[in-house]
Amino acid sequence: MKLWVSALLMAWFGVLSCVQAEFFTSIGHMTDLIYAEKELVQSLKEYILVEEAKLSKIKSWANKMEALTSKSAADAEGYLAHPVNAYKLVKRLNTDWPALEDLVLQDSAAGTKYQAMLSVDDCFGMGRSAYNEGDYYHTVLWMEQVLKQLDAGEEATTTKSQVLDYLSYAVFQLGDLHRALELTRRLLSLDPSHERAGGNLRYFEQLLEEEREKTLSNQTEAELATPEGIYERPVDYLPERDIYESLCRGEGVKLTPRRQKRLFCRYHHGNRAPQLLIAPFKEEDEWDSPHIVRYYDVMSDEEIERIKEIAKPKLARATVRDPKTGVLTVASYRVSKSSWLEEDDDPVVARVNRRMQHITGLTVKTAELLQVANYGVGGQYEPHFDFSRRPFDSGLKTEGNRLATFLNYMSDVEAGGATVFPDLGAAIWPKKGTAVFWYNLLRSGEGDYRTRHAACPVLVGCKWVSNKWFHERGQEFLRPCGSTEVD
């Protein structure tokens, strides 16, 4: 467009030069200027039409974005609580806005459909990201979803050839040579000139021939083939991956009817603590052994909002302690932001600290600061222990190990976000204003390895929690030692 404007202006200057130099020379020559000027006017009108068309697109984009931002800004957390909305926001900022800046906007529909569903192009982008990360298991899942939506007639810029290119190589990486070969042939039927597919086809056929030669006499080729579309996830660093994810889906909870009968509700006054005699807390058993309890109405809505208000400016990427070096570092298995609040930060922090002390009967003098954590869409913390397994941990040796965990739920979560204990088969779901409590150490002082737990990924919603870790030092007479773990 800038070249067009420059050419138009240069043409005008050329005409003006001609007029100034040759005005009195010949009327015949001047008639040529009339036609030149007419052509310039026509070019100018064409230029205006193109600019108006682009301006119309920009106006349309601005109107749609104004409507969207008015809605999203009215409840930012609620809007971003849906994972598709969060994904599309990132996509707009990384793709659509730069496209607008360049005045391209060739496919504005991709940035102006704000319903909570993923398009073909969205799914393809997710599959391609998984492929680039070497995650072929999820590449297959996303690409198969793309094919389903394309087969259903959904319009998209993504073609089946592109999908099959990624899908065929992903299933090959998962060891399904037969299906990789079949998908590659399908790709070549759609695009016979696809060079990479042609090379892959020859390579796959060669591997298949070698495989046939090595086939055992009592096995058939069909027995060696992997059932179409069924693949096992590769083993990773998390031994209880399947159990963990099953619990996060609300499956596999191991609480028999006999054990359920051991769980009760009661009013809790903290061993007749004066502060709780008049207004005891409602206590509910969540698990029998180890004993995990939930308390109700621990924090009011006003206290929660104040805690969040104080914590937000201090939020930073949550860290973990490297088990080998003891150094704090960020990790992919803990995705959240957290901050630490001191009692002097606000009276509500001190009030909440005292309340946890009264409920547990433990002293907060040797406890850690109140930690506030925020999990966005996809936020999680994979299975871990709260207590340290390093006997001389420099970060814990002064006040001893983490004796107990008090976890406040400061929001409801629409989907996901449970606290699960894989070794127990237990899942505890967030309820705003409630709190759960458990001991991390046995009465002998040894770590209770059954308390390995995780914060499940947030699927829809926004999860806010705060927690207090009570340490051993100072609790000797409040929770006496013993040879068993029974309280």
Side-chain angles (χ1 to χ4, degrees):
M1 190 58 65
K2 292 181 179 179
L3 292 175
W4 189 353
V5 174
S6 298
L8 187 61
L9 291 176
M10 288 177 65
W12 270 106
F13 288 134
V15 171
L16 291 176
S17 298
C18 180
V19 171
Q20 292 173 354
E22 306 291 342
F23 183 81
F24 297 106
T25 304
S26 170
I27 292 295
H29 285 168
M30 288 186 65
T31 57
D32 293 339
L33 297 180
I34 296 294
Y35 298 110
E37 186 176 40
K38 183 178 180 180
E39 291 178 3
L40 286 173
V41 171
Q42 184 62 32
S43 296
L44 181 61
K45 290 177 68 176
E46 292 175 1
Y47 169 74
I48 292 172
L49 288 175
V50 173
E51 288 299 297
E52 286 179 341
K54 287 199 170 183
L55 184 59
S56 177
K57 291 181 180 180
I58 294 173
K59 286 181 178 179
S60 175
W61 170 267
N63 291 335
K64 291 174 181 178
M65 289 307 302
E66 183 178 26
L68 174 66
T69 54
S70 296
K71 180 181 178 181
S72 61
D75 182 12
E77 284 193 2
Y79 177 82
L80 291 174
H82 200 292
V84 174
N85 289 336
Y87 168 75
K88 283 186 171 287
L89 172 62
V90 175
K91 183 187 176 190
R92 287 197 300 275
L93 293 175
N94 283 279
T95 304
D96 299 327
W97 278 104
L100 177 68
E101 183 181 13
D102 296 334
L103 297 178
V104 177
L105 293 176
Q106 294 178 354
D107 185 18
S108 60
T112 56
K113 294 180 180 178
Y114 304 112
Q115 67 273 25
M117 60 182 296
L118 292 174
S119 67
V120 168
D121 297 327
D122 292 332
C123 293
F124 181 73
M126 297 292 284
R128 187 168 53 189
S129 296
Y131 180 89
N132 292 335
E133 292 291 328
D135 183 357
Y136 302 112
Y137 175 80
H138 286 100
T139 299
V140 171
L141 296 180
W142 281 110
M143 293 305 175
E144 288 178 338
Q145 179 61 32
V146 173
L147 289 178
K148 287 180 182 178
Q149 292 181 221
L150 285 174
D151 290 339
E154 185 174 327
E155 295 183 1
T157 59
T158 302
T159 65
K160 285 189 177 181
S161 297
Q162 292 174 302
V163 180
L164 292 170
D165 189 15
Y166 282 97
L167 183 57
S168 60
Y169 195 75
V171 298
F172 167 68
Q173 289 293 331
L174 292 176
D176 192 347
L177 180 58
H178 293 76
R179 191 175 179 216
L181 184 62
E182 181 262 324
L183 290 169
T184 304
R185 287 170 176 165
R186 184 179 172 188
L187 168 56
L188 285 170
S189 69
L190 295 174
D191 185 3
S193 62
H194 200 292
E195 294 184 7
R196 182 167 54 252
N200 286 345
L201 180 65
R202 292 187 292 273
Y203 178 60
F204 294 160
E205 288 176 336
Q206 179 183 349
L207 291 178
L208 186 60
E209 184 61 31
E210 294 175 359
E211 181 182 280
R212 285 170 178 164
E213 294 175 357
K214 296 178 181 178
T215 300
L216 299 177
S217 58
N218 61 342
Q219 288 181 308
T220 66
E221 184 175 321
E223 290 175 332
L224 293 175
T226 304
E228 182 173 336
I230 301 175
Y231 304 103
E232 292 186 2
R233 175 185 288 183
V235 177
D236 64 11
Y237 58 88
L238 198 60
E240 65 268 69
R241 169 73 66 185
D242 291 339
I243 298 174
Y244 159 54
E245 293 189 352
S246 176
L247 290 171
C248 287
R249 293 192 298 267
E251 306 166 359
V253 176
K254 298 178 181 178
L255 192 62
T256 63
R258 182 178 179 181
R259 295 179 66 181
Q260 286 179 337
K261 294 180 180 179
R262 303 177 188 172
L263 308 183
F264 297 94
C265 298
R266 66 190 71 83
Y267 282 104
H268 174 76
H269 52 68
N271 294 323
R272 303 188 64 80
Q275 297 84 357
L276 304 187
L277 285 176
I278 297 177
F281 283 92
K282 289 178 285 186
E283 182 185 71
E284 178 183 24
D285 294 329
E286 287 282 354
W287 206 259
D288 53 355
S289 182
H291 196 203
I292 304 173
V293 296
R294 186 194 295 265
Y295 298 101
Y296 287 83
D297 302 321
V298 174
M299 295 177 66
S300 67
D301 289 346
E302 292 74 18
E303 288 174 329
I304 288 173
E305 291 307 312
R306 182 56 183 159
I307 292 290
K308 288 166 60 177
E309 181 182 354
I310 303 168
K312 281 182 179 179
K314 301 181 179 182
L315 288 175
R317 175 70 186 270
T319 59
V320 297
R321 191 174 296 278
D322 189 297
K324 295 181 179 180
T325 65
V327 177
L328 290 175
T329 182
V330 297
S332 60
Y333 57 83
R334 186 181 189 184
V335 183
S336 65
K337 287 191 173 183
S338 62
S339 60
W340 300 84
L341 303 184
E342 300 187 34
E343 290 200 358
D344 294 340
D345 288 336
D346 193 273
V348 72
V349 179
R351 188 160 65 246
V352 170
N353 282 344
R354 298 284 89 74
R355 190 174 300 149
M356 290 186 287
Q357 177 173 275
H358 298 152
I359 292 174
T360 62
L362 302 174
T363 179
V364 296
K365 292 181 179 179
T366 55
E368 296 179 41
L369 300 178
L370 183 67
Q371 181 183 229
V372 179
N374 177 223
Y375 296 81
V377 173
Q380 63 163 346
Y381 192 177
E382 292 181 356
H384 61 280
F385 298 101
D386 278 353
F387 64 87
S388 174
R389 290 169 289 164
R390 301 179 73 246
F392 301 105
D393 194 309
S394 59
L396 299 176
K397 66 180 182 180
T398 302
E399 306 297 349
N401 213 333
R402 287 173 174 168
L403 172 66
T405 297
F406 195 102
L407 177 64
N408 298 294
Y409 293 117
M410 302 199 304
S411 68
D412 294 314
V413 182
E414 293 182 51
T419 304
V420 298
F421 295 75
D423 289 349
L424 304 179
I428 301 173
W429 300 92
K431 294 180 183 178
K432 186 179 181 181
T434 70
V436 292
F437 174 79
W438 68 86
Y439 281 102
N440 297 303
L441 305 181
L442 303 173
R443 284 190 176 274
S444 62
E446 298 178 359
D448 188 344
Y449 284 81
R450 299 172 301 171
T451 62
R452 182 171 168 86
H453 61 285
C456 294
V458 175
L459 304 181
V460 180
C462 179
K463 180 181 176 183
W464 283 90
V465 298
S466 60
N467 65 276
K468 174 70 70 173
W469 281 306
F470 293 88
H471 284 245
E472 292 177 287
R473 191 66 55 82
Q475 318 291 355
E476 292 84 355
F477 298 102
L478 302 175
R479 196 224 188 189
C481 298
S483 59
T484 68
E485 63 90 17
V486 179
D487 292 320

